[in-house]
Amino acid sequence: MPKGYVIGRIDVIDPEKYAAYVPLATAAMKAHGGTVLTRGGLYEALEGPSRARNVIVEFPSLAAATAYFHSPEYTLARDARAGAAHVEIVAVEGV
């Protein structure tokens, strides 16, 4: 079965509020079998608009990735992050 990936592109606008989100999101990822492949760090925009923070989380499957995103644990994290960042998140199936 192909793995699933959650890819987030983020511009933090309220660092203090965003800091409250990170441990909640991390706990939700772990609870749903997620492994962080990259979170922040250096990047180079190669084409098109970029965001300052990029996150890739690997899950056992696309179903597990979407279950994580819609879970009560991650809903709590998203609520904590509300208004703290401009965020784009997609879930994709691996090959």
Side-chain angles (χ1 to χ4, degrees):
M1 173 183 303
K3 296 194 180 222
Y5 298 87
V6 170
I7 301 169
R9 300 174 63 240
I10 303 129
D11 282 329
V12 177
I13 55 176
D14 184 338
E16 281 186 35
K17 192 169 185 182
Y18 192 85
Y21 157 81
V22 173
L24 296 170
T26 300
M29 288 174 206
K30 288 181 181 178
H32 290 273
T35 300
V36 176
L37 300 180
T38 185
R39 181 186 247 174
L42 297 177
Y43 73 95
E44 183 176 342
L46 300 175
E47 187 172 337
S50 65
R51 297 234 184 236
R53 186 169 175 81
N54 300 281
V55 178
I56 302 173
V57 183
E58 181 182 74
F59 289 89
S61 66
L62 181 59
T66 58
Y68 147 77
F69 183 82
H70 296 295
S71 71
E73 299 94 344
Y74 190 64
T75 298
L76 181 66
R78 283 196 328 264
D79 290 348
R81 186 194 68 214
H86 299 292
V87 180
E88 299 166 0
I89 298 175
V90 299
V92 297
E93 186 176 64
V95 295

